[in-house]
Structures are given as C-alpha cells and as structure tokens.
Amino acid sequence: MTTVLDALDRALLAAGGHQRGEVAAPACVLWPDPTGEWREAAAALRGRRTLLTLGAYAPETRTGPAIWIRSVVDVQPLSQEPVIVYLPGLGLDALRGEAAAEAVRPLVDLQFRGALFLGARKRPWSVASFFRDFKDLKIEVAESARPALVAHLGALLDQPVNDLRTRAPLTLPTLSRLAFPDLPGQFLSWLSGGGPPVPSALAAAFAAEYGVDPAGGVPEGAVTLAARQGALAGVWERFAASPEGYPGVRAALEAAGPASGGAWTAEEARVWPQVNRAAEESLRRDLHALRDEPAAVVRERLLALEREHADRRTGVWARLGETPLANAVEQLARLAVSSAGTLSGDTVTQLGQAYASGGFRADQAALGALASVQSDADLDLVGAVLRVPYLEWLTRVNDRFCAAALSAPNLSTPTSSAWTPAPGLAVVFVDGLRFDVAASLAEHLGSLQPELGWQMSALPTVTPTAKPAVAPVGGALEVLSADKLSLSYLGRAVNAAVLRDLLTGRGFTAIRSPAGGDPAGAVWLETGNLDSLGHSQGAGLAGLLPAEVRKLGSRIQALLDAGFTEVRVITDHGWLLLPGGLPKAELLGASTVFKKGRCAVLKGVNASAYPSVPWTWDPDVNVTLAPGVHSFEAGEVYTHGGLSLQECILPVLTVRGQGKAEAVTFTSVRWTGNRCRVQVTGGGGLTVDLRRRAADAASSVLTAPKSVGAEGHVSLLVEGDDMDGTAAVLVALRGDQVVRQQPLTVGDNA
C-alpha cells in the first residue's frame, strides 16, 4: 500500500539517482520550494532520510544556514544516499550566480555538484503539480480545491494513493473529510466550546462541508446545525446520539433559537430546547385540565395527547431527560387502553389467570407513568391524572374478583408451601413482589428464559399470615393468637428467625447472600425490600422499582453462577397503590381487636356490612375486609391486607440454570507447618482461599486464591509465623461465588 509520502520519498531518491561507474554520485538533492508549501512533507521525511533544511540554526531538526548545510554536505560520503537539502522559500532564481544573496551563496555550486528535484519544464514541484503530474500519483485535483491542497497536505501524506485515485478529482469537501476524518465531532466541539478560533484549514473545511463560516460565530453555526440540511443532518444525528459529549451545543441552540412561546410544532420541539420546554409546559396544562374529568374523557384525551407528543420521546431532549411528561403520557396512554377493558372469567381461577395473562399491564402502566417523572409536582400531577381511570378499573375488576372469591366454597392456598428440598434448588423470597413487578423482572431476565406462573395468597394478605403460608414449611405451624392473627412453632411466636429455623429443619438452608449457599443442597434466601419501600415512599415507590428489579436480577444470576440449577422466586402478598389515597371505609377502632388498612378482626361477630373471609390458618376466625379497593385508614396510598387481584395473585418466577449441581466438600484439611493441604470434591473450576471473613476477598491471608488440581488437591501457603493460632475460614469458590466454607485455626490439625 503506497502512500503519498512513499511516492514523494521515491521521487526524491530518483532525483538523486545516477549510473554507477559512469558518472559521479550527486553530492546532494536540492529541493527548492519557492512558496514553502512542502514544509509538512519535509518534516515527515526527516525520520526516513538525511534531510537538511535551510533556516535558523536548530540542530534538533537538522535546520541551519547555508554555510552549515554546505559543511554537512561536504563531509557526507558519496557512497551513501545523497543528502536531501530542502530550501523553503527559495526558488532556482535565488541560486543564480552573482544574483544569489550572500546568505545562500554557499549553496550555489551545489546545484552543479548535486541534483535538483524539479517537475515539468524544470520548475520546482508545487503540491498541486506533483499530485497531477508525478508518474506514481496522477491524481486529479479540482481547480477550486487546489488552494486548499497545501493546507491539508499533512493529512494527505498518509493516504494510500489508490484510495485517492478512487476519490479523484479531489474536491474541497473531499479534502476536508480526508484531512479531518472526524469533522462532525470537531464542528460540534467548536460549537460546544463557544466558537473558539480555529486554524484556517479547519475553517475552510467547515465552510466547504457545512456552509458555516466560523467568523460568523456560534449563533450562525447553531442555526445552520438546527436546519439539519445536507451533511449537517449527519452531524445532528451525532449530537442527538451523544449530547452529553457536547454540553455547550444545547446552550448554543437555546441562545440562537426562537423565543419560547405558547405555540409549538413537533418538528421545532425536536430541535430547539426552549420549544421542547414549551411543549412540556403545554402538556402540563393539558394534563392538569384532566384532573377532575370522568374516566372515559380522560382516556380519550390521553390517547390524543400521546399522538401529539410521542415524537418528542425520540429526540435529543428525551435523551437528556427533558421530556418527563412526554414519557409519562406514553404510559398513561397504555393505562387508558388497558383500563378500558375488563377481565374474562367468572371464577377466582379464571379471573386470576386473566390477570396474570395480561390484566396486570394496567398496574404496570400506572407505575410506569409515576416512574417517568422526577419532581414532586409532576408526581402529584401524573398521579392525579391516572387516579380517575385507574381507580375506576381497579374497582370494576376487583368487585368481580371479590364476588367470585366470597361465593367460592373454598379458596386455594399457596402451593409453594408443599415444595420439598432438592439439590441445586434456591427459593428466593421477596416481600411484596407484586405480579406486575415480577413480570418486569421476568423481562429483565429474558435471556434466561424465565417462567412466570402464579398462586393464590393466604388471607388476609398481611405478612404474618401470608409469609408462613408461602414458605415451604409443610404446615407445621399452629395458631398463637386468633385475635392478633399470629402463629407459633413449638410454642415460639413465628418471626423471621423462627421461620428460618423451621426451613432449615425442612432441608432448606437459610442464607443471607448467594455466596453463602451450597448448590449441593437447597437454600432459602430472603432479599429485596419492596414492601418496606412502599409503606415509606408511597407513590415514590414507582421510581425506585427499576433499580430494585435490577438488584433482584443480579441476585438470581449470582445464584445460578454459584451452581444452583433452579431458582424459584416467591412472595407473600401484593399491594394496592393509588395516588391520592384509597377511598376510605369507616370502621371504628373500638369495635376491633386487630386492625390494618385493609383488614380487621372485630370484637364478637362481624356486625359490619363489610365482607369477611375465614383466616387461612383457622377457618373459625372471621377476618373483616375493606370493601373493593377501600381502606379502613384515610389517605393510604400504599397498603395491602385485603382481597384484590393485586394483593392475592402471587407470582411464582422460575429460572433454570445449566448443568447438574455437585456437592462441594472439604474431605481433608491438614496443616504441615505454614502449609495447608486440602482435598476438595465437587467438580472442576474451583479455587480455594483462606480468609478472615468468608465473604470478603480482601481479608484473604494468601497472596492469591489457588486453583484446585485435577485430582482435587490444593496446597495453601501462609507466609510468616505470626498467623499461627489465628481463626480463619477456608472457602471454595466458583468464579467469585463462595460455594463452601469451613472455619479453622491456622496451623491447627485438631
């Protein structure tokens, strides 16, 4: 691949060529350059050839006056390649005998002892003539581009000759692209930086490629960019794809664009930040006007607003987070569609299946709308708009669900309670994982092909009742207090610790993190804090859910990475979340012995007009429920405990890994001095470490974990004697996950 610099190099060598044995070798090759346009090329050739340059003395660049050049040439052996003497600003006339200036006279006779690098008609090569006429180039340059050829020479020198020939004739835009391969980025950087002065070559490139004269300043550049015509359409796409890299462009557009008024168009809003802001304000006013409208009117208007503002979500201002209400209206429109219909079925099972098959998307859209905005004012506004159609739908579908449940001869209970332990099984419990959030988790884990099913919750849907009912404890619990709806196990009030002990007895090892589990057995892992966040944050929970879903996904992946072959995610209850609060149902506290937002145990018989259901753990105990989607507490935005699809249809998310779980066991641990010899079983790919704290890799007392050999042997050396008698933990790792751990004392074989 011959470049322009290669061709120039060969041309200079050819100029100094001679027939050995017939003529004397030239003392040098004189390279006259009357206009100095070859300076960049001469500098590039210094690394290849012995090249002297006429000028002020600068030995580091082999530059000096004529007398110095003459002295160097005179001592150069003629057997070597001739020295190239570059003469910037000097033509042939300047070397003509007595006409030569005093400063260059030492060079006069070199034109006779050496060779001249000349083009056609014995004239010094210009850059343009060299491109056009030199036999190894023959590259045509457009007349209008010839003045710019010198300015772009530095970039052209490294271009392959064949590539340039395919682009010929070289035009000014072509030269600009060759000289400035990232011209769009340079233009955006110039605009973002406030329009600093640029080299003349770059200014010419801006003018040729984009029609922008930097002398006109940033306003002219911003207006031209906003027009997105010709090559600037691609520059705009570059900016729109990564506006964070050019923060000043937004300010330039803001300053140069039209005044922010009431009227706006979608096309203007995509380009001008102030017009997009006006569109957001317009949407804010339109949404505010819907706060007290009937559900049907709200749904119809939301669909119209979605059509009006959808295009703004695809622009640069959406990427910069400046279209929160346009983002919210997309979800509000989805809510409008999904809440307009109903669910098919007449029984609890049929309605539950309809909800799990797609009915949950109304809940998902409501949360998505709330999550789209950041400010408290916008959160209140979006909540007020969605409240009317969402509450109407919640009431309608749950009135049917409650009627079906209350008329059923009996209700099913969670099937997960009967699960049995198996090698490689991890049961993950997430408090308050509502079905629509579990569906989002399933989408997040899409590459793992998760399966999303459902089961019916225990009643009432409060944690002390519902969590023990979904845990695989096999029905070993007893009633502790019917009035307080509390349970016991062997006389101990059931809490998280008691439940973990019971699960361990059933064969499910309770672990606190994926690193603490052994895939040779079954484990129980509690994670996530959705219910706690819901009670504390109310409608603000929606904005926190995406991060919580990602955390749950990471936990599931960590379990699979640790060697578990099946992960089942369950929960105890869902919840209702309604901005502005659920409608209140009056229930005097004096008439109850137990009261929550959505359920209560009354003194004596249920004398209220509200529905009641048998307590799952004792059918002789009647639990009074808040009707429909009401609450016994005023202003409750987030609550649970009642009988609704959102509270009772519990997700069961199953993710399966690959391969068979193998038991990892330390079959032998033996100290010999400071060296610990360990025998490990449980498959390949394991490493072993010795740590002060099992889950903390930084607490290792080794220089690095050691890989287990093919026969299961590994030898660990603890350097120094000061560790003898120190408590430590021997850990086996698969990747970064701890899959087996064993406490020991350094140096002790007891």
Side-chain angles (χ1 to χ4, degrees):
M1 181 182 68
T2 300
T3 66
V4 172
L5 187 62
D6 294 333
L8 177 61
D9 186 28
R10 285 204 293 265
L12 285 162
L13 288 180
H18 66 286
Q19 194 69 31
R20 294 183 182 275
E22 296 184 7
V23 295
C28 64
V29 174
L30 291 179
W31 182 4
D33 182 13
T35 58
E37 57 191 61
W38 287 105
R39 291 180 189 273
E40 284 190 85
L45 283 170
R46 286 194 190 105
R48 297 188 178 197
R49 305 293 171 200
T50 302
L51 188 144
L52 309 178
T53 301
L54 180 65
Y57 185 60
E60 67 277 4
T61 60
R62 309 203 74 178
T63 300
I67 188 64
W68 173 80
I69 290 176
R70 174 67 178 268
S71 66
V72 174
V73 171
D74 285 347
V75 299
Q76 186 78 3
L78 295 180
S79 60
Q80 295 184 1
E81 291 178 351
V83 175
I84 299 171
V85 179
Y86 174 57
L87 307 174
L90 212 63
L92 291 178
D93 290 344
L95 297 176
R96 296 190 185 280
E98 294 181 359
E102 185 73 26
V104 299
R105 281 183 183 175
L107 303 178
V108 170
D109 78 323
L110 290 182
Q111 62 185 313
F112 306 110
R113 293 169 48 206
L116 290 167
F117 180 51
L118 301 174
R121 301 180 184 178
K122 301 298 181 181
R123 294 177 179 175
W125 284 110
S126 68
V127 173
S129 64
F130 187 75
F131 268 70
R132 183 186 65 242
D133 298 332
F134 181 61
K135 62 183 180 62
D136 289 347
L137 291 185
K138 297 291 185 180
I139 299 171
E140 188 63 34
V141 180
E143 184 73 28
S144 60
R146 289 175 187 174
L149 196 62
V150 174
H152 297 315
L153 181 60
L156 293 171
L157 291 172
D158 293 327
Q159 294 293 324
V161 171
N162 287 338
D163 287 357
L164 292 177
R165 284 176 180 154
T166 62
R167 297 170 183 261
L170 301 183
T171 62
L172 197 53
T174 301
L175 291 177
S176 297
R177 286 190 288 271
L178 289 170
F180 305 105
D182 188 25
L183 192 62
Q186 288 177 286
F187 179 77
L188 289 171
S189 295
W190 170 77
L191 202 60
S192 181
V198 297
S200 59
L202 185 56
F206 286 170
E209 189 74 5
Y210 305 135
V212 174
D213 181 359
V218 166
E220 177 185 325
V223 170
T224 309
L225 173 65
R228 295 163 293 159
Q229 297 298 310
L232 281 172
V235 179
W236 178 269
E237 290 178 5
R238 168 81 168 266
F239 167 61
S242 55
E244 303 87 352
Y246 311 98
V249 172
R250 186 198 182 286
L253 291 166
E254 179 96 41
S260 178
W264 62 277
T265 67
E267 186 62 21
E268 289 177 326
R270 286 177 61 85
V271 177
W272 303 107
Q274 60 270 47
V275 177
N276 173 71
R277 190 166 58 249
E280 278 286 292
E281 288 301 321
S282 172
L283 178 55
R284 184 172 284 108
R285 291 191 296 271
D286 289 338
L287 291 174
H288 195 276
L290 295 177
R291 293 164 65 105
D292 299 319
E293 294 292 336
V297 173
V298 174
R299 291 188 181 105
E300 181 181 359
R301 185 69 181 120
L302 285 175
L303 294 176
L305 289 173
E306 162 62 6
R307 291 190 294 271
E308 186 177 350
H309 291 271
D311 192 55
R312 291 199 296 119
R313 290 194 299 273
T314 63
V316 61
W317 313 124
R319 185 179 180 91
L320 288 173
E322 297 180 23
T323 59
L325 292 179
N327 297 339
V329 83
E330 178 183 24
Q331 300 297 326
L332 289 170
R334 290 179 179 175
L335 174 62
V337 173
S338 56
S339 67
T342 188
L343 301 180
S344 61
D346 298 310
T347 67
V348 168
T349 300
Q350 290 170 345
L351 290 168
Q353 186 58 41
Y355 177 75
S357 298
F360 68 87
R361 298 203 182 279
D363 300 315
Q364 207 172 45
L367 291 177
L370 295 170
S372 298
V373 294
Q374 291 81 41
S375 71
D376 290 342
D378 283 350
L379 185 65
D380 290 343
L381 174 60
V382 171
V385 172
L386 71 82
R387 176 183 172 84
V388 173
Y390 187 42
L391 177 57
E392 186 273 338
W393 177 80
L394 284 173
T395 301
R396 180 158 36 87
V397 297
N398 282 307
D399 281 351
R400 291 179 58 213
F401 179 72
C402 291
L406 294 172
S407 63
N410 52 65
L411 294 173
S412 62
T413 54
T415 56
S416 58
S417 64
W419 289 348
T420 56
L425 172 62
V427 178
V428 177
F429 174 82
V430 183
D431 192 6
L433 181 66
R434 199 169 73 172
F435 194 93
D436 56 315
V437 182
S440 297
L441 176 58
E443 292 173 10
H444 177 71
L445 296 170
S447 62
L448 298 176
Q449 299 180 321
E451 300 171 8
L452 182 59
W454 66 279
Q455 60 183 348
M456 183 70 181
S457 69
L459 293 175
T461 49
V462 291
T463 298
T465 288
K467 182 177 180 180
V470 298
V473 296
L477 303 178
E478 298 176 342
V479 174
L480 178 64
S481 170
D483 289 345
K484 297 181 180 179
L485 302 183
S486 59
L487 302 171
S488 69
Y489 173 65
L490 299 180
R492 300 164 62 196
V494 172
N495 54 26
V498 171
L499 196 59
R500 285 194 292 269
D501 289 345
L502 181 55
L503 285 163
T504 300
R506 286 269 297 165
F508 289 92
T509 302
I511 60 175
R512 296 186 180 276
S513 72
D518 184 354
V523 299
W524 166 272
L525 171 65
E526 297 185 26
T527 189
N529 59 345
L530 304 186
D531 191 43
S532 174
L533 289 172
H535 285 296
S536 64
Q537 302 299 318
L541 169 66
L544 303 174
L545 285 174
E548 292 298 311
V549 165
R550 289 192 295 272
K551 289 178 186 177
L552 292 174
S554 296
R555 285 294 180 96
I556 292 169
Q557 184 64 63
L559 287 165
L560 296 174
D561 291 343
F564 288 92
T565 55
E566 183 173 345
V567 179
R568 300 177 193 168
V569 184
I570 58 174
T571 190
D572 49 354
H573 58 76
W575 30 269
L576 291 172
L577 188 153
L578 183 67
L582 297 172
K584 186 175 186 298
E586 296 295 337
L587 183 66
L588 295 177
S591 65
T592 68
V593 292
F594 173 89
K595 182 183 177 185
K596 293 287 187 181
R598 294 266 294 152
C599 62
V601 177
L602 303 187
K603 296 176 180 178
V605 297
N606 181 12
S608 74
Y610 300 137
S612 65
V613 294
W615 183 29
T616 292
W617 293 98
D618 184 350
D620 292 332
V621 177
N622 272 331
V623 179
T624 298
L625 303 175
V629 291
H630 286 63
S631 172
F632 291 136
E633 302 291 340
E636 280 202 310
V637 172
Y638 172 99
T639 191
H640 55 88
L643 182 62
S644 70
L645 290 158
Q646 287 73 17
E647 295 163 290
C648 296
I649 302 304
L650 306 183
V652 178
L653 181 67
T654 304
V655 184
R656 294 181 175 85
Q658 302 297 320
K660 180 180 179 182
E662 296 184 78
V664 177
T665 306
F666 297 120
T667 57
S668 173
V669 179
R670 189 74 183 171
W671 286 94
T672 304
N674 289 354
R675 186 174 295 278
C676 183
R677 304 182 189 278
V678 182
Q679 177 73 36
V680 188
T681 61
L686 295 172
T687 57
V688 174
D689 198 2
L690 192 61
R691 300 174 174 178
R692 297 179 188 273
R693 295 174 297 279
D696 183 5
S699 70
S700 175
V701 300
L702 307 178
T703 55
K706 296 291 292 294
S707 297
V708 177
E711 301 298 322
H713 298 287
V714 64
S715 178
L716 311 175
L717 177 64
V718 178
E719 296 182 354
D721 297 328
D722 57 337
M723 291 293 296
D724 282 354
T726 301
V729 184
L730 185 66
V731 295
L733 303 111
R734 184 172 279 111
D736 293 330
Q737 299 297 321
V738 176
V739 295
R740 172 62 73 184
Q741 61 188 60
Q742 178 177 317
L744 52 72
T745 301
V746 175
D748 188 358
N749 286 317

